[in-house]
């Protein structure tokens, strides 16, 4: 069974950095898209950064210059490096991927979410 496994959340102080990882478990996968989203308390889920096989990388305006998303095809893992974190970056961060297991139809999966708290 294919699933997205997230790691890297936690508590950091303002100005510090954090790296989130999202790994697609399972073998024989074609991955078309991996993105990181966040949901702040009381807000809707919003895109933070993405890696798309067709269009490349993209970032939300609120993280441009502070974040870098990379994808390791060998490990089927997307890493999101976030720097100069601010208290308003506090949220649950979710990974989402559009992929196709071999001999199966394309599916879209979400990870379980990982809490990031930025506070002094």
């Amino acid at each position: 069974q294919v699933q997205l496994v997230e790691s890297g959340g936690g508590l950091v102080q303002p100005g510090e950095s954090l790296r989130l990882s999202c790994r697609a478990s399972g073998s024989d996968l074609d991955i078309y898209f991996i993105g990181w989203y966040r949901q702040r308390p009381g807000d809707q889920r919003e895109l933070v950064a993405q890696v798309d096989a067709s269009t490349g990388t993209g970032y939300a305006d609120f993280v441009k210059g502070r974040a870098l998303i990379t994808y390791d095809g060998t490990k089927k893992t997307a890493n999101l490096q976030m720097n100069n974190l601010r208290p308003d970056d506090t949220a649950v961060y979710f990974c989402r991927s559009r992929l196709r297991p071999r001999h199966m139809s394309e599916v879209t999966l979400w990870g379980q979410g990982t809490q990031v708290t930025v506070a002094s």
Side-chain angles (χ1 to χ4, degrees):
Q1 182 178 356
V2 180
Q3 55 183 332
L4 301 179
V5 180
E6 299 157 339
S7 60
L11 171 64
V12 297
Q13 295 189 349
E16 293 187 338
S17 300
L18 199 67
R19 190 177 82 160
L20 305 178
S21 294
C22 174
R23 179 176 62 84
S25 68
S27 58
D28 293 333
L29 302 174
D30 291 325
I31 297 179
Y32 305 118
F33 170 96
I34 292 186
W36 277 100
Y37 295 71
R38 73 181 188 185
Q39 188 164 16
R40 298 186 293 180
D43 289 350
Q44 293 192 352
R45 200 170 294 186
E46 57 187 348
L47 178 68
V48 179
Q50 67 182 51
V51 180
D52 188 292
S54 298
T55 61
T57 59
Y59 299 89
D61 286 343
F62 57 78
V63 293
K64 280 183 180 177
R66 301 191 295 127
L68 177 67
I69 188 168
T70 58
Y71 177 67
D72 184 335
T74 301
K75 299 178 180 179
K76 293 185 170 52
T77 298
N79 296 309
L80 177 65
Q81 175 72 34
M82 294 189 294
N83 304 315
N84 192 22
L85 284 161
R86 309 184 300 222
D88 62 1
D89 291 318
T90 296
V92 180
Y93 284 73
F94 296 88
C95 177
R96 172 179 172 262
S97 181
R98 185 166 52 87
L99 51 85
R100 186 177 67 85
R102 191 72 52 87
H103 306 304
M104 296 180 65
S105 300
E106 183 178 305
V107 295
T108 296
L109 301 177
W110 286 92
Q112 78 281 3
T114 184
Q115 177 70 45
V116 172
T117 302
V118 185
S120 55

